[in-house]
Structures are given as structure tokens and as C-alpha cells.
Amino acid sequence: MPELPEVETIRRQLAPVLAGRRIVAAAGHPSPKFRDASESVGATIGAVRRRGKYLLVDLDADREMVLHLGMTGRVMLRRARTPGDRLASEDPHVRAWWHLEGGDVLQLADIRRFGRVAVVQHGAYAGLPTLAALGPEPLSDAFTPEALYAALRRSGVRIKTQLLNQRVVAGVGNIYADEALWASGVDPGARRLSAIRAAALHEAVRTVLTAGIDNGGTTLRDYRTFTGEVGRNQHAL
């Protein structure tokens, strides 16, 4: 599943391509998980942001589109074959597509259909409970050693399980939790940490996520960047 470094890599590639583009047509798979794509028609795209493992695409003054890649989601861009082209691809795994002014088609392919598209009012995530309950961004000032220590103290659950709980820290999944625990020398099965060990884990989380971003993400199987490339971080694990 794409984690914070993979989603951030995609966001950085998407942002300059999408900003200022108007969506002239769009459609999604009839599943409730993807059909919201059509609600974006007519909007002009603003900033492309990220929260945890979610991509947030500003549509207009009061709406945003939320994209979650699930386990196998990929976003890609291609040229429309004809001016009236409304089919994103002959790929049977395309779940949603957006025809952009100027002729490009953005598409979301998702083999296992664990991804999600939602158009909501800015910040109105009641229908997206995982997004609504996200903890601090690990590379932000809000994520401090003290905040991590306090969060871990509130539960007797194993430390790795807590790292995977997006309420403790946003965007960390299995790959980077393992890397951070290894780098800090923290036992994944431990249930309590001292403040000193929590500080070491805090530093390791930030270090491995930054390296993951610098390396364009980790490709173990499905992940590809927006430009279709594999990540490089798997060589540094």
C-alpha cells in the first residue's frame, strides 16, 4: 500500500500538471467508492495537497476532491485520442477519470478496488472517518518527541501496531514502521517506551520518511510514480 513517501512523491509530480486546469468531463465506476469523480466536472483545480496517505485536490472555493490509492491505486495522465474522447483507457482496471481542458485525461486505475474518490466540502471528512481522525503529520512541527511519547503512553498496544494506527502519526504504514523501529532499535512487540526511546523512534520516523521521499518511494510490487517510474527506496531498506 502506498504510504506517505509514495503519496508525497505523486503529489509533487501531480501539482504542477493539474494546477489551474479545468475539468471538462469526468466519470467513475458505479461503485460508491468512485462515482463521486463526476461531481468535479466544471471545477478548476487549485492546489494539490496531501494529508497522511490521502491526496487532496482543491476544486474551488469550498470543495475538495479526496483521492486514496488503497493498495494498488495508480494515477496516470494521457492525451485524449479525439476531442470527444470520454474513455480514460482500455485498461479494465480504470475506476475513475477526469478529462482536463487542453486534452489531457487523468485516470485512476485500481486493480483491487481498495481506493476511494470523494468530493466534499473543504475539511468536511465526516464520511471519511480515517481521514477525519488522522494524527499529526510526521514531518510537521506538530509531531514532536513529547507528542509521540504521550500518544504511546495512552495505550498498552504493541508499539508497531500503534505506529500503524493513523491516530498516533499520519501516513506511516508497514514498510516505514519497520524501518523506523529497526533504525531506532525499538522492539516492535514492546508495549511501553521510555521518553528517551520514544525520542529515538521519533527521530527515526522522520529520517526514514524523508529518505523515502528523497528516493521517490518504495516499489515492492505495484507502486509506480505518476510518471510511471518505480521508486528507488527499496534498495535502501
Side-chain angles (χ1 to χ4, degrees):
M1 178 182 292
E3 301 178 34
L4 186 154
E6 290 74 49
V7 178
E8 178 62 18
T9 296
I10 291 170
R11 186 203 69 77
R12 293 181 182 188
Q13 294 175 335
L14 269 179
V17 174
L18 296 187
R21 307 283 294 275
R22 190 170 70 88
I23 300 170
V24 298
H29 187 279
S31 162
K33 298 177 69 176
F34 300 102
R35 65 189 180 200
D36 260 19
S38 62
E39 298 296 319
S40 63
V41 175
T44 297
I45 297 171
V48 179
R49 300 174 287 113
R50 180 194 53 74
R51 182 76 170 96
K53 302 175 188 178
Y54 291 84
L55 288 167
L56 307 176
V57 181
D58 290 341
L59 295 178
D60 41 46
D62 60 352
R63 294 188 307 157
E64 61 184 290
M65 184 161 59
V66 179
L67 302 180
H68 190 268
L69 301 179
M71 293 186 69
T72 58
R74 288 185 60 196
V75 286
M76 298 162 283
L77 194 73
R78 70 165 182 83
R79 295 293 294 177
R81 288 185 287 269
T82 68
D85 185 4
R86 293 295 182 267
L87 180 64
S89 173
E90 296 173 357
D91 182 343
H93 302 303
V94 168
R95 309 302 178 191
W97 58 266
W98 299 264
H99 194 133
L100 306 175
E101 194 169 43
D104 290 328
V105 176
L106 179 72
Q107 60 189 31
L108 169 65
D110 185 2
I111 295 173
R112 300 188 66 181
R113 288 189 288 185
F114 290 151
R116 179 74 188 269
V117 177
V119 174
V120 300
Q121 297 295 301
H122 271 289
Y125 304 139
L128 301 162
T130 301
L131 176 57
L134 284 181
E137 285 290 319
L139 301 179
S140 73
D141 292 341
F143 182 62
T144 64
E146 295 76 17
L148 177 61
Y149 178 55
L152 295 177
R153 287 190 67 190
R154 285 194 289 267
S155 173
V157 175
R158 292 179 175 88
I159 298 301
K160 180 178 176 182
T161 302
Q162 292 198 63
L163 285 181
L164 299 181
N165 178 350
Q166 300 299 292
R167 294 172 183 265
V168 172
V169 56
V172 176
N174 196 53
I175 294 172
Y176 297 98
D178 282 349
E179 289 296 296
L181 290 163
W182 174 266
S184 61
V186 171
D187 179 355
R191 297 176 185 272
R192 298 291 181 191
L193 284 186
S194 68
I196 292 174
R197 302 302 292 152
L201 180 58
H202 169 272
E203 181 179 1
V205 166
R206 292 170 69 106
T207 298
V208 301
L209 290 176
T210 299
I213 295 169
D214 291 343
N215 289 327
T218 301
T219 298
L220 298 180
R221 181 176 176 182
D222 298 295
Y223 165 69
R224 298 292 185 277
T225 70
F226 174 59
T227 55
E229 301 166 323
V230 298
R232 304 181 305 279
N233 198 59
Q234 61 274 15
H235 302 300
L237 297 177

